[in-house]
Amino acid sequence: MLRIENLHAEVDGKQILNGLSLDVKAGEIAAIMGPNGAGKSTLGYVLGGRPGYEVTKGSVLFDGRDLLALRPDERAAAGLFLGFQYPVEIPGISNVQFLRSALNAQRRARGEPEVSAGDFLRITREQADALGISMDMLKRNVNVGFSGGEKKRNEMVQMGIIDPRLAVLDETDSGLDIDALRVVGDGINRIMRKPDKAVLLITHYQRLLDLVVPDQVHVLAGGRIVRSGGPELALELEREGYGAMAA
Ligand code: ADP
Ligand code: MG
């Protein structure tokens, strides 16, 4: 479903991704771990098509399509969702407005009819209830005045409504208390644990991987994947640290 080959990318002339290769099949959850500054968030931004992140070499295929040739909005319409390490606040736009226009833009791009007001409300209620976000909060401006944990749960509400095929979740667990972590972990499983979907789960912590058990675990260091394994690799990292793997 996602095939990254020999990806090189730079930001502001600084080379950050350095020959990264990764293969994720439909139905799989791939955990990406690795030391600070390894390039994990950069990988997410490159996949999402954030301006300023320049791919200098390599390829990314999403369902066999050249992902890097698509504009960011086309990538989203193709089913890619990015959950941010630091969700942005958007003053002046309410969550519901934002979600409804995002959902409808994607549906239009796919040649599907727009969602009706009633259906949108129903979907939004379902997702908000499941993630412990009140409808009042969804009427507020996007993330404005939300606590760290509320922002992360709000990202999951977005994901539930958008219903993507491939989610890149960048430290969605950071800053969450134990209860919120469980809510978020359950949300990821509920929304994304499906045979036709896949997740890149960027995390530092085993406690999320206890809830969302990965099919593959990869260590990203120095802009490339330096080790890969199964769930046991995450346990080993927790015991022993990145040590010699840190570039
Ligand atoms: P991670 O998410 O793994 O902690 P990042 O992808 O955020 O790492 O960053 C990788 C490296 O790229 C870091 O050394 C960071 O300082 C550097 N970096 C990120 N953004 C920029 C930028 N705009 N200009 C220069 N260096 C950057
Ligand atoms: Mg990061």
CSV table of all heavy atoms in Angstrom, one decimal, residues 163-188:
chain,number,residue,atom,x,y,z
A,163,ASP,N,-11.9,9.5,7.9
A,163,ASP,CA,-11.9,8.1,7.6
A,163,ASP,C,-10.9,7.7,6.5
A,163,ASP,O,-11.2,7.2,5.4
A,163,ASP,CB,-13.3,7.6,7.1
A,163,ASP,CG,-13.4,6.1,7.2
A,163,ASP,OD1,-12.7,5.5,8.0
A,163,ASP,OD2,-14.3,5.6,6.5
A,164,PRO,N,-9.6,8.0,6.8
A,164,PRO,CA,-8.5,7.9,5.7
A,164,PRO,C,-8.2,6.4,5.5
A,164,PRO,O,-8.5,5.6,6.3
A,164,PRO,CB,-7.3,8.6,6.3
A,164,PRO,CG,-7.5,8.4,7.8
A,164,PRO,CD,-9.0,8.5,8.1
A,165,ARG,N,-7.4,6.2,4.5
A,165,ARG,CA,-6.9,4.8,4.2
A,165,ARG,C,-5.5,4.6,4.8
A,165,ARG,O,-5.1,3.6,5.2
A,165,ARG,CB,-6.9,4.5,2.7
A,165,ARG,CG,-8.3,4.5,2.1
A,165,ARG,CD,-8.3,3.8,0.8
A,165,ARG,NE,-7.7,2.5,0.9
A,165,ARG,CZ,-6.7,2.1,0.1
A,165,ARG,NH1,-6.3,2.9,-0.9
A,165,ARG,NH2,-6.2,0.9,0.2
A,166,LEU,N,-4.7,5.7,4.8
A,166,LEU,CA,-3.4,5.7,5.4
A,166,LEU,C,-3.2,6.8,6.3
A,166,LEU,O,-3.4,8.0,6.0
A,166,LEU,CB,-2.3,5.8,4.3
A,166,LEU,CG,-0.9,5.9,4.7
A,166,LEU,CD1,-0.4,4.6,5.4
A,166,LEU,CD2,0.0,6.2,3.5
A,167,ALA,N,-2.9,6.5,7.6
A,167,ALA,CA,-2.7,7.6,8.6
A,167,ALA,C,-1.3,7.6,9.0
A,167,ALA,O,-0.7,6.5,9.3
A,167,ALA,CB,-3.7,7.4,9.8
A,168,VAL,N,-0.7,8.8,9.0
A,168,VAL,CA,0.6,8.9,9.6
A,168,VAL,C,0.4,9.7,10.9
A,168,VAL,O,0.0,10.9,10.9
A,168,VAL,CB,1.6,9.7,8.7
A,168,VAL,CG1,2.9,9.9,9.3
A,168,VAL,CG2,1.7,9.1,7.3
A,169,LEU,N,0.6,9.1,12.0
A,169,LEU,CA,0.3,9.7,13.3
A,169,LEU,C,1.6,10.0,14.1
A,169,LEU,O,2.4,9.1,14.5
A,169,LEU,CB,-0.5,8.7,14.2
A,169,LEU,CG,-1.9,8.3,13.4
A,169,LEU,CD1,-2.7,7.4,14.3
A,169,LEU,CD2,-2.7,9.6,13.1
A,170,ASP,N,1.9,11.3,14.2
A,170,ASP,CA,3.2,11.8,14.7
A,170,ASP,C,3.1,12.0,16.2
A,170,ASP,O,2.6,13.1,16.6
A,170,ASP,CB,3.6,13.0,14.0
A,170,ASP,CG,5.1,13.3,14.2
A,170,ASP,OD1,5.7,12.7,15.1
A,170,ASP,OD2,5.6,14.3,13.6
A,171,GLU,N,3.5,11.1,17.0
A,171,GLU,CA,3.5,11.2,18.5
A,171,GLU,C,2.2,11.7,19.0
A,171,GLU,O,2.1,12.6,19.8
A,171,GLU,CB,4.6,12.2,18.9
A,171,GLU,CG,6.0,11.7,18.5
A,171,GLU,CD,7.2,12.4,19.3
A,171,GLU,OE1,6.9,12.9,20.4
A,171,GLU,OE2,8.3,12.3,18.7
A,172,THR,N,1.1,11.0,18.5
A,172,THR,CA,-0.2,11.3,18.9
A,172,THR,C,-0.4,11.0,20.4
A,172,THR,O,-1.3,11.5,21.1
A,172,THR,CB,-1.2,10.5,18.1
A,172,THR,OG1,-1.0,10.9,16.7
A,172,THR,CG2,-2.7,10.7,18.5
A,173,ASP,N,0.5,10.2,21.0
A,173,ASP,CA,0.4,9.8,22.4
A,173,ASP,C,1.1,10.8,23.3
A,173,ASP,O,1.0,10.7,24.5
A,173,ASP,CB,0.9,8.4,22.6
A,173,ASP,CG,2.3,8.2,22.0
A,173,ASP,OD1,2.7,9.0,21.1
A,173,ASP,OD2,3.0,7.3,22.5
A,174,SER,N,2.0,11.7,22.8
A,174,SER,CA,2.7,12.5,23.7
A,174,SER,C,1.8,13.5,24.4
A,174,SER,O,0.9,14.1,23.8
A,174,SER,CB,3.9,13.2,22.9
A,174,SER,OG,3.3,14.2,22.0
A,175,GLY,N,2.1,13.7,25.7
A,175,GLY,CA,1.3,14.7,26.5
A,175,GLY,C,0.0,14.2,26.9
A,175,GLY,O,-0.8,14.9,27.4
A,176,LEU,N,-0.3,12.9,26.7
A,176,LEU,CA,-1.6,12.3,27.2
A,176,LEU,C,-1.5,11.7,28.6
A,176,LEU,O,-0.5,11.0,28.9
A,176,LEU,CB,-2.1,11.3,26.2
A,176,LEU,CG,-2.4,11.7,24.8
A,176,LEU,CD1,-2.9,10.5,23.9
A,176,LEU,CD2,-3.4,12.8,24.7
A,177,ASP,N,-2.6,11.9,29.4
A,177,ASP,CA,-2.6,11.2,30.6
A,177,ASP,C,-3.1,9.7,30.3
A,177,ASP,O,-3.5,9.4,29.2
A,177,ASP,CB,-3.5,11.9,31.7
A,177,ASP,CG,-4.9,12.0,31.2
A,177,ASP,OD1,-5.5,11.0,30.6
A,177,ASP,OD2,-5.6,13.0,31.5
A,178,ILE,N,-3.1,8.9,31.3
A,178,ILE,CA,-3.4,7.5,31.1
A,178,ILE,C,-4.7,7.2,30.5
A,178,ILE,O,-4.9,6.4,29.6
A,178,ILE,CB,-3.3,6.7,32.5
A,178,ILE,CG1,-2.0,7.1,33.2
A,178,ILE,CG2,-3.5,5.2,32.3
A,178,ILE,CD1,-0.9,6.1,33.1
A,179,ASP,N,-5.7,8.0,31.0
A,179,ASP,CA,-7.1,7.7,30.4
A,179,ASP,C,-7.2,8.2,29.0
A,179,ASP,O,-7.8,7.5,28.1
A,179,ASP,CB,-8.1,8.5,31.3
A,179,ASP,CG,-8.2,7.9,32.7
A,179,ASP,OD1,-7.9,6.7,32.9
A,179,ASP,OD2,-8.6,8.7,33.6
A,180,ALA,N,-6.6,9.4,28.7
A,180,ALA,CA,-6.6,9.9,27.3
A,180,ALA,C,-5.9,9.0,26.4
A,180,ALA,O,-6.2,8.8,25.2
A,180,ALA,CB,-6.1,11.3,27.3
A,181,LEU,N,-4.8,8.4,26.9
A,181,LEU,CA,-4.0,7.5,26.1
A,181,LEU,C,-4.8,6.3,25.6
A,181,LEU,O,-4.8,5.9,24.5
A,181,LEU,CB,-2.8,7.0,26.9
A,181,LEU,CG,-1.8,6.1,26.1
A,181,LEU,CD1,-1.1,6.9,25.0
A,181,LEU,CD2,-0.9,5.4,27.0
A,182,ARG,N,-5.6,5.8,26.6
A,182,ARG,CA,-6.5,4.7,26.3
A,182,ARG,C,-7.5,5.0,25.2
A,182,ARG,O,-7.8,4.3,24.3
A,182,ARG,CB,-7.1,4.1,27.5
A,182,ARG,CG,-8.1,3.0,27.3
A,182,ARG,CD,-8.4,2.2,28.5
A,182,ARG,NE,-7.2,1.4,29.0
A,182,ARG,CZ,-6.8,0.2,28.4
A,182,ARG,NH1,-7.5,-0.3,27.4
A,182,ARG,NH2,-5.8,-0.4,28.9
A,183,VAL,N,-8.1,6.2,25.4
A,183,VAL,CA,-9.1,6.7,24.5
A,183,VAL,C,-8.5,6.8,23.1
A,183,VAL,O,-9.1,6.4,22.1
A,183,VAL,CB,-9.7,8.1,25.0
A,183,VAL,CG1,-10.5,8.8,23.9
A,183,VAL,CG2,-10.5,7.9,26.2
A,184,VAL,N,-7.3,7.4,23.0
A,184,VAL,CA,-6.6,7.6,21.7
A,184,VAL,C,-6.3,6.2,21.1
A,184,VAL,O,-6.5,6.0,19.9
A,184,VAL,CB,-5.4,8.5,21.9
A,184,VAL,CG1,-4.5,8.4,20.7
A,184,VAL,CG2,-5.9,10.0,22.0
A,185,GLY,N,-5.7,5.3,21.9
A,185,GLY,CA,-5.3,4.0,21.4
A,185,GLY,C,-6.5,3.3,20.9
A,185,GLY,O,-6.5,2.7,19.8
A,186,ASP,N,-7.6,3.3,21.7
A,186,ASP,CA,-8.9,2.6,21.2
A,186,ASP,C,-9.4,3.3,19.9
A,186,ASP,O,-9.8,2.6,19.0
A,186,ASP,CB,-10.0,2.8,22.3
A,186,ASP,CG,-9.7,1.9,23.5
A,186,ASP,OD1,-8.8,1.0,23.4
A,186,ASP,OD2,-10.4,2.1,24.5
A,187,GLY,N,-9.2,4.6,19.8
A,187,GLY,CA,-9.6,5.3,18.6
A,187,GLY,C,-8.9,4.9,17.4
A,187,GLY,O,-9.4,4.6,16.3
A,188,ILE,N,-7.6,4.7,17.5
A,188,ILE,CA,-6.7,4.3,16.4
A,188,ILE,C,-7.1,2.9,16.0
A,188,ILE,O,-7.3,2.6,14.8
A,188,ILE,CB,-5.2,4.3,16.8
A,188,ILE,CG1,-4.8,5.8,17.1
A,188,ILE,CG2,-4.4,3.8,15.7
A,188,ILE,CD1,-3.4,5.9,17.7
